[in-house]
Amino acid sequence: MANEATSARHAVVTGSSSGIGKAIAQALIDTGWAVTGLDLSAPAIEDPRFQPVRVDLADAGSLDAAAASLHGVDALVHAAGLLRLGALGSLDPGAGELMWRLHVDAASRLADALAGPMAEKGAGRIVFIGSRVAQGMAGRGQYAATKAALIALARSWAAELAPRGVTVNVVSPAATQTAMAQNPARSATAPKLPPIGRLILPEEVAGLVLYLLSPMAAAITGQDIQICGGSSLSR
């Protein structure tokens, strides 16, 4: 049954065609939200409350046009992402630029377009999907830098928006059971299992995002919340 508190609410979710983004979009739909999914890939969800918008999130012009068409948005969840590996001495500048455009520039453009209308009505939620790798990891420097940038953006924007009823947070999973983690190209650098003995599930990430978008999370802002399966315990 749809939750009456969220039945008329509208969320924009990037990367909604697979992995964490799809799990978040489906969880929102299942609890009564209307969802606009932004993704370059074909939609993987069929539901009357789901509106797919095909857009290259790494292309500034296309993304700005898509953002300008969005109205009545109550929440933004930027979940789209990709991983390109590269050790110092053999970095690929193109890969670094692509990850920056997708992770950081896309987040900036969407938040810039949508946060103002949220603040005008005195309520709104913004969640970025980060990564524990933001703390640094060998061979993932360029990726880590983009995810660390999301935390800095979230904290800065949270400070700007807190008095206006809009929260901004980051959810940072450890290795998650997605196609990206299971890519055969990563066989030499397979994700390390958290202490719980398995990968994090996309639905578990979606559950936390759903809470951060709820009225009960109105006092949580500017935070980087980790879903680590115990990985943080060794710090």
Side-chain angles (χ1 to χ4, degrees), residues 44-103:
I45 296 174
E46 291 187 12
D47 190 281
R49 288 165 294 184
F50 180 72
Q51 177 63 48
V53 176
R54 204 159 186 178
V55 58
D56 183 352
L57 294 161
D59 180 88
S62 297
L63 182 56
D64 286 347
S69 71
L70 300 171
H71 304 287
V73 176
D74 300 293
L76 165 65
V77 182
H78 183 42
L82 58 82
L83 171 65
R84 295 289 184 268
L85 305 177
L88 194 61
S90 58
L91 297 178
D92 179 350
E97 181 183 356
L98 176 59
M99 287 188 287
W100 186 268
R101 291 201 309 268
L102 180 58
H103 299 160

Side-chain angles (χ1 to χ4, degrees), residues 135-162:
Q135 300 173 28
M137 182 177 290
R140 291 165 170 77
Q142 293 165 303
Y143 176 81
T146 65
K147 293 300 187 177
L150 284 178
I151 297 171
L153 289 177
R155 289 181 60 82
S156 300
W157 294 338
E160 294 179 29
L161 294 168

Side-chain angles (χ1 to χ4, degrees), residues 14-32:
T14 69
S16 58
S17 293
S18 63
I20 293 173
K22 179 185 176 184
I24 292 169
Q26 188 63 64
L28 286 166
I29 291 167
D30 290 345
T31 52

